[in-house]
Amino acid sequence: MPLNMIYLQKLPGNKNFYWHASTLCGLGFFSSMPGTVGSIAAFLVYPVIPVPILAIIGIIALGVWTSHRYAVQEGKKDPKEVIIDEVAGTWIAMFGLPSGFSLPALFLFRILDILKPFPVNASEKLPGGWGIMADDIVAGLLANIILTVIRWLYFGGGWNFLF
């Protein structure tokens, strides 16, 4: 049996499609900070493969469905090993911004996801997979908006427009 199959067998949970999709094939179990691991994985993919908006929408739809099914299967409300939501949030944070903004987008997204200011914390109260995904989607949107405004102010003539 291949080494990676032996390792997968040692990870907890029923290794069905919901487990593979929502934990990114077990990546959510590799650290005590699975959200950061998921965000870094998404960050590493984004510059290599440009992620169109339809792919982000697809990841969100897949995440809502699989994270809900996985949470029900495991009997948890929001399992920490589910990191497909971090992928969606990170990609939303980086979407449409120049590559020089990718690292700030990652850091700002993680800060907003960890601190959970108002719209982020309210969105995670949605039921099922929507609640699992929504806080990261909102944190990604906030990070993207903040960085877009900063980009406009400093590089798009925003200060000249305002004053």
Side-chain angles (χ1 to χ4, degrees):
M1 182 176 284
L3 183 62
N4 60 348
M5 293 302 292
I6 294 170
Y7 179 76
L8 275 178
Q9 287 179 342
K10 293 180 181 179
L11 294 175
N14 182 5
K15 313 296 183 302
N16 56 18
F17 174 73
Y18 310 119
W19 182 90
H20 283 281
S22 61
T23 67
L24 300 183
C25 295
L27 190 60
F29 292 99
F30 283 134
S31 169
S32 61
M33 301 178 303
T36 301
V37 171
S39 293
I40 291 171
F43 168 77
L44 293 174
V45 167
Y46 196 86
V48 177
I49 303 169
V51 181
I53 191 70
L54 289 177
I56 295 172
I57 292 169
I59 284 292
I60 291 170
L62 180 68
V64 168
W65 177 53
T66 60
S67 64
H68 172 70
R69 296 295 302 256
Y70 178 77
V72 169
Q73 167 182 299
E74 295 298 312
K76 301 175 183 175
K77 184 174 175 5
D78 188 356
K80 67 178 179 134
E81 63 269 16
V82 170
I83 57 173
I84 193 168
D85 53 340
E86 311 298 333
V87 172
T90 302
W91 285 351
I92 290 169
M94 294 189 297
F95 184 76
L97 293 169
S99 60
F101 280 79
S102 294
L103 193 59
L106 172 68
F107 284 119
L108 186 56
F109 167 71
R110 288 305 302 149
I111 289 168
L112 293 171
D113 188 35
I114 291 167
L115 295 180
K116 299 198 186 303
F118 162 64
V120 178
N121 65 5
S123 64
E124 73 178 344
K125 293 182 174 109
L126 292 170
W130 286 107
I132 294 170
M133 295 293 293
D135 64 321
D136 295 286
I137 292 168
V138 173
L141 285 170
L142 281 175
N144 190 292
I145 290 168
I146 291 168
L147 291 173
T148 300
V149 168
I150 290 170
R151 179 180 178 216
W152 175 73
L153 281 173
Y154 290 101
F155 305 110
W159 287 115
N160 294 334
F161 176 78
L162 291 174
F163 300 105

